[in-house]
mmCIF file of all heavy atoms in Angstrom:
data_model
loop_
_atom_site.group_PDB
_atom_site.id
_atom_site.type_symbol
_atom_site.label_atom_id
_atom_site.label_comp_id
_atom_site.label_asym_id
_atom_site.label_seq_id
_atom_site.Cartn_x
_atom_site.Cartn_y
_atom_site.Cartn_z
ATOM 1 N N SER K 90 -2.180 -2.623 -2.284
ATOM 2 C CA SER K 90 -3.111 -1.662 -1.662
ATOM 3 C C SER K 90 -3.836 -0.856 -2.714
ATOM 4 O O SER K 90 -3.337 -0.637 -3.795
ATOM 5 C CB SER K 90 -2.401 -0.735 -0.677
ATOM 6 O OG SER K 90 -1.850 -1.498 0.357
ATOM 7 N N LYS K 91 -5.010 -0.261 -2.260
ATOM 8 C CA LYS K 91 -5.679 0.669 -3.028
ATOM 9 C C LYS K 91 -6.058 1.867 -2.123
ATOM 10 O O LYS K 91 -6.355 1.670 -0.959
ATOM 11 C CB LYS K 91 -7.022 0.080 -3.588
ATOM 12 C CG LYS K 91 -6.811 -1.030 -4.528
ATOM 13 C CD LYS K 91 -8.086 -1.526 -5.094
ATOM 14 C CE LYS K 91 -7.938 -2.668 -6.027
ATOM 15 N NZ LYS K 91 -6.783 -2.851 -6.758
ATOM 16 N N LEU K 92 -6.006 3.078 -2.694
ATOM 17 C CA LEU K 92 -6.476 4.243 -2.023
ATOM 18 C C LEU K 92 -7.950 4.321 -2.330
ATOM 19 O O LEU K 92 -8.342 4.345 -3.435
ATOM 20 C CB LEU K 92 -5.747 5.513 -2.472
ATOM 21 C CG LEU K 92 -6.170 6.769 -1.825
ATOM 22 C CD1 LEU K 92 -5.670 6.836 -0.372
ATOM 23 C CD2 LEU K 92 -5.833 8.032 -2.595
ATOM 24 N N VAL K 93 -8.798 4.388 -1.283
ATOM 25 C CA VAL K 93 -10.195 4.426 -1.429
ATOM 26 C C VAL K 93 -10.656 5.890 -1.286
ATOM 27 O O VAL K 93 -10.384 6.495 -0.267
ATOM 28 C CB VAL K 93 -10.910 3.532 -0.371
ATOM 29 C CG1 VAL K 93 -12.445 3.603 -0.503
ATOM 30 C CG2 VAL K 93 -10.395 2.117 -0.361
ATOM 31 N N THR K 94 -11.305 6.390 -2.331
ATOM 32 C CA THR K 94 -11.897 7.711 -2.332
ATOM 33 C C THR K 94 -13.396 7.633 -2.361
ATOM 34 O O THR K 94 -13.943 6.538 -2.299
ATOM 35 C CB THR K 94 -11.401 8.514 -3.573
ATOM 36 O OG1 THR K 94 -12.073 8.066 -4.726
ATOM 37 C CG2 THR K 94 -9.891 8.461 -3.715
ATOM 38 N N ASP K 95 -14.097 8.731 -2.343
ATOM 39 C CA ASP K 95 -15.567 8.716 -2.463
ATOM 40 C C ASP K 95 -16.108 8.022 -3.668
ATOM 41 O O ASP K 95 -17.145 7.455 -3.606
ATOM 42 C CB ASP K 95 -16.166 10.085 -2.390
ATOM 43 C CG ASP K 95 -15.900 10.797 -1.027
ATOM 44 O OD1 ASP K 95 -15.778 10.101 0.004
ATOM 45 O OD2 ASP K 95 -15.915 12.041 -1.044
ATOM 46 N N SER K 96 -15.300 8.054 -4.782
ATOM 47 C CA SER K 96 -15.877 7.464 -6.008
ATOM 48 C C SER K 96 -14.943 6.598 -6.786
ATOM 49 O O SER K 96 -15.165 6.152 -7.879
ATOM 50 C CB SER K 96 -16.266 8.651 -6.946
ATOM 51 O OG SER K 96 -15.125 9.421 -7.251
ATOM 52 N N GLN K 97 -13.768 6.257 -6.238
ATOM 53 C CA GLN K 97 -12.729 5.538 -6.971
ATOM 54 C C GLN K 97 -11.845 4.622 -6.086
ATOM 55 O O GLN K 97 -11.765 4.983 -4.925
ATOM 56 C CB GLN K 97 -11.863 6.601 -7.753
ATOM 57 C CG GLN K 97 -11.036 6.111 -8.864
ATOM 58 C CD GLN K 97 -10.364 7.316 -9.501
ATOM 59 O OE1 GLN K 97 -10.449 8.451 -9.104
ATOM 60 N NE2 GLN K 97 -9.641 6.972 -10.563
ATOM 61 N N PHE K 98 -11.288 3.629 -6.617
ATOM 62 C CA PHE K 98 -10.270 2.813 -5.943
ATOM 63 C C PHE K 98 -9.002 2.979 -6.814
ATOM 64 O O PHE K 98 -9.010 2.604 -7.957
ATOM 65 C CB PHE K 98 -10.680 1.288 -5.863
ATOM 66 C CG PHE K 98 -11.857 1.035 -5.026
ATOM 67 C CD1 PHE K 98 -13.109 1.053 -5.602
ATOM 68 C CD2 PHE K 98 -11.657 0.882 -3.654
ATOM 69 C CE1 PHE K 98 -14.216 0.753 -4.819
ATOM 70 C CE2 PHE K 98 -12.765 0.603 -2.894
ATOM 71 C CZ PHE K 98 -14.037 0.557 -3.452
ATOM 72 N N CYS K 99 -7.930 3.481 -6.199
ATOM 73 C CA CYS K 99 -6.719 3.792 -6.924
ATOM 74 C C CYS K 99 -5.591 2.816 -6.515
ATOM 75 O O CYS K 99 -5.195 2.876 -5.358
ATOM 76 C CB CYS K 99 -6.293 5.230 -6.714
ATOM 77 S SG CYS K 99 -7.626 6.396 -7.076
ATOM 78 N N SER K 100 -5.077 2.052 -7.394
ATOM 79 C CA SER K 100 -4.064 1.016 -7.090
ATOM 80 C C SER K 100 -2.714 1.681 -6.752
ATOM 81 O O SER K 100 -2.251 2.582 -7.477
ATOM 82 C CB SER K 100 -3.871 0.087 -8.261
ATOM 83 O OG SER K 100 -5.039 -0.636 -8.440
ATOM 84 N N VAL K 101 -2.086 1.284 -5.659
ATOM 85 C CA VAL K 101 -0.813 1.768 -5.266
ATOM 86 C C VAL K 101 0.277 1.068 -6.026
ATOM 87 O O VAL K 101 0.358 -0.164 -6.001
ATOM 88 C CB VAL K 101 -0.590 1.586 -3.713
ATOM 89 C CG1 VAL K 101 0.814 1.958 -3.304
ATOM 90 C CG2 VAL K 101 -1.608 2.394 -2.940
ATOM 91 N N ALA K 102 1.071 1.805 -6.730
ATOM 92 C CA ALA K 102 2.175 1.201 -7.552
ATOM 93 C C ALA K 102 3.487 1.199 -6.770
ATOM 94 O O ALA K 102 4.247 0.241 -6.874
ATOM 95 C CB ALA K 102 2.370 2.020 -8.838
ATOM 96 N N LYS K 103 3.760 2.265 -6.017
ATOM 97 C CA LYS K 103 5.123 2.419 -5.444
ATOM 98 C C LYS K 103 5.048 3.265 -4.189
ATOM 99 O O LYS K 103 4.236 4.159 -4.064
ATOM 100 C CB LYS K 103 6.011 3.108 -6.469
ATOM 101 C CG LYS K 103 7.456 3.249 -6.024
ATOM 102 C CD LYS K 103 8.361 3.731 -7.155
ATOM 103 C CE LYS K 103 7.978 5.056 -7.703
ATOM 104 N NZ LYS K 103 8.911 5.624 -8.628
ATOM 105 N N ILE K 104 5.830 2.904 -3.197
ATOM 106 C CA ILE K 104 5.943 3.649 -1.966
ATOM 107 C C ILE K 104 7.421 4.104 -1.842
ATOM 108 O O ILE K 104 8.282 3.196 -1.766
ATOM 109 C CB ILE K 104 5.514 2.852 -0.746
ATOM 110 C CG1 ILE K 104 4.076 2.345 -0.912
ATOM 111 C CG2 ILE K 104 5.671 3.706 0.509
ATOM 112 C CD1 ILE K 104 3.656 1.372 0.116
ATOM 113 N N LYS K 105 7.678 5.378 -1.792
ATOM 114 C CA LYS K 105 9.081 5.865 -1.711
ATOM 115 C C LYS K 105 9.215 6.645 -0.395
ATOM 116 O O LYS K 105 8.459 7.609 -0.151
ATOM 117 C CB LYS K 105 9.349 6.771 -2.947
ATOM 118 C CG LYS K 105 10.727 7.379 -2.890
ATOM 119 C CD LYS K 105 10.898 8.284 -4.086
ATOM 120 C CE LYS K 105 12.217 9.032 -3.928
ATOM 121 N NZ LYS K 105 12.268 10.174 -4.856
ATOM 122 N N SER K 106 10.230 6.324 0.341
ATOM 123 C CA SER K 106 10.599 6.980 1.638
ATOM 124 C C SER K 106 11.231 8.312 1.241
ATOM 125 O O SER K 106 12.066 8.401 0.358
ATOM 126 C CB SER K 106 11.524 6.119 2.449
ATOM 127 O OG SER K 106 11.814 6.847 3.656
ATOM 128 N N ILE K 107 10.792 9.440 1.941
ATOM 129 C CA ILE K 107 11.382 10.690 1.687
ATOM 130 C C ILE K 107 11.699 11.335 3.076
ATOM 131 O O ILE K 107 11.237 10.910 4.114
ATOM 132 C CB ILE K 107 10.446 11.717 0.849
ATOM 133 C CG1 ILE K 107 9.131 11.852 1.520
ATOM 134 C CG2 ILE K 107 10.297 11.185 -0.562
ATOM 135 C CD1 ILE K 107 8.250 12.958 0.877
ATOM 136 N N SER K 108 12.515 12.427 3.018
ATOM 137 C CA SER K 108 12.915 13.096 4.293
ATOM 138 C C SER K 108 11.735 14.016 4.739
ATOM 139 O O SER K 108 10.873 14.342 4.005
ATOM 140 C CB SER K 108 14.124 13.946 4.069
ATOM 141 O OG SER K 108 13.819 15.023 3.215
ATOM 142 N N ALA K 109 11.804 14.340 6.032
ATOM 143 C CA ALA K 109 10.791 15.318 6.586
ATOM 144 C C ALA K 109 10.819 16.605 5.836
ATOM 145 O O ALA K 109 9.791 17.200 5.532
ATOM 146 C CB ALA K 109 10.978 15.504 8.092
ATOM 147 N N GLY K 110 12.004 17.101 5.482
ATOM 148 C CA GLY K 110 12.137 18.370 4.733
ATOM 149 C C GLY K 110 11.493 18.264 3.342
ATOM 150 O O GLY K 110 10.815 19.198 2.904
ATOM 151 N N GLU K 111 11.801 17.169 2.699
ATOM 152 C CA GLU K 111 11.165 16.987 1.336
ATOM 153 C C GLU K 111 9.680 16.905 1.392
ATOM 154 O O GLU K 111 8.901 17.469 0.655
ATOM 155 C CB GLU K 111 11.750 15.794 0.658
ATOM 156 C CG GLU K 111 11.234 15.612 -0.794
ATOM 157 C CD GLU K 111 11.867 14.441 -1.539
ATOM 158 O OE1 GLU K 111 12.779 13.831 -1.026
ATOM 159 O OE2 GLU K 111 11.420 14.162 -2.680
ATOM 160 N N PHE K 112 9.173 16.215 2.516
ATOM 161 C CA PHE K 112 7.707 16.089 2.703
ATOM 162 C C PHE K 112 7.121 17.520 2.885
ATOM 163 O O PHE K 112 6.144 17.867 2.285
ATOM 164 C CB PHE K 112 7.433 15.250 3.942
ATOM 165 C CG PHE K 112 5.989 15.091 4.261
ATOM 166 C CD1 PHE K 112 5.261 14.027 3.724
ATOM 167 C CD2 PHE K 112 5.369 16.009 5.092
ATOM 168 C CE1 PHE K 112 3.927 13.855 4.070
ATOM 169 C CE2 PHE K 112 3.988 15.785 5.431
ATOM 170 C CZ PHE K 112 3.295 14.741 4.940
ATOM 171 N N ALA K 113 7.736 18.308 3.782
ATOM 172 C CA ALA K 113 7.226 19.646 4.015
ATOM 173 C C ALA K 113 7.233 20.489 2.770
ATOM 174 O O ALA K 113 6.335 21.276 2.529
ATOM 175 C CB ALA K 113 8.086 20.313 5.106
#
Side-chain angles (χ1 to χ4, degrees):
S90 298
K91 295 185 184 329
L92 180 74
V93 180
T94 72
D95 290 337
S96 62
Q97 198 174 3
F98 294 93
C99 307
S100 297
V101 172
K103 181 171 62 170
I104 303 169
K105 178 185 172 194
S106 180
I107 59 174
S108 68
E111 185 175 352
F112 179 91

